[in-house]
Amino acid sequence: MTDARDADGNLLPDEQRLTSFGRFLRRTSMDELPELLNVLKGDMSLVGPRPLLMQYLDRYTSEQMRRHEVKPGITGWAQINGRNALSWEDKFALDVWYIDHLSLWLDLRIILLTIWKVLRREGISQAGFATMPEFMGTESIPDIS
């Protein structure tokens, strides 16, 4: 991404700052490869809720905060069920569902489906965004059970 800013000095939206090389990395999900180092260090897992920005922490509901009960992962239940095309609320609900149903079998299923999703390039971004709009908080979590 570039460091392009508006007249007030604020960074432009990701979509406007993303270079063609950056778009290629996002499309192919190769931008995730450096996270393998975090897995090797033990800071992350292959499967788990995706890490988010620290500035979001005080915006979580108590239910959404449950996503921190496990290590963050490179891929997760929300990634194979819509990725960035999901709303924030749906993404958090899927993260919590994963924590409630954690198993080796589920992790293996997520890894295999992730490979399929990456090859099909599904759910990479929401319309008008390089990935997703900023999470601003939510009032309630919909029940997607």
Side-chain angles (χ1 to χ4, degrees), residues 65-131:
M65 188 63 80
R66 291 194 56 220
R67 68 190 314 278
H68 297 286
E69 292 176 10
V70 296
K71 285 185 182 180
I74 293 176
T75 188
W77 191 241
Q79 282 60 50
I80 63 163
N81 284 291
R83 208 169 171 185
N84 290 325
L86 296 169
S87 70
W88 280 110
E89 289 75 17
D90 289 343
K91 190 178 283 200
F92 286 128
L94 289 166
D95 287 345
V96 172
W97 184 93
Y98 168 77
I99 290 165
D100 290 340
H101 297 86
L102 194 65
S103 71
L104 177 60
W105 173 245
L106 180 59
D107 283 0
L108 292 173
R109 181 177 175 200
I110 291 170
I111 290 168
L112 291 173
L113 288 171
T114 296
I115 294 166
W116 177 250
K117 294 287 185 175
V118 167
L119 292 174
R120 296 199 50 192
R121 299 179 178 171
E122 293 179 350
I124 294 171
S125 62
Q126 284 193 8
F129 294 91
T131 54

Side-chain angles (χ1 to χ4, degrees), residues 16 26 32 41 46-47 63 78 83 86 89 105 118 122 127 134:
Q16 294 177 23
R26 282 293 308 142
E32 305 294 344
K41 286 183 3 184
L46 285 177
V47 179
E63 184 71 5
R83 208 169 171 185
L86 296 169
E89 289 75 17
W105 173 245
V118 167
E122 293 179 350
E134 181 178 349

Side-chain angles (χ1 to χ4, degrees), residues 25-67:
L25 291 176
R26 282 293 308 142
R27 243 187 355 262
T28 59
S29 294
M30 288 174 48
D31 59 331
E32 305 294 344
L33 290 178
E35 290 182 341
L36 286 175
L37 295 174
N38 291 322
V39 172
L40 294 174
K41 286 183 3 184
D43 295 336
M44 287 182 72
S45 177
L46 285 177
V47 179
R50 292 284 297 143
L52 297 175
L53 299 173
M54 296 291 291
Q55 69 195 41
Y56 295 173
L57 284 174
D58 63 344
R59 300 175 189 172
Y60 295 144
T61 65
S62 58
E63 184 71 5
Q64 291 168 340
M65 188 63 80
R66 291 194 56 220
R67 68 190 314 278

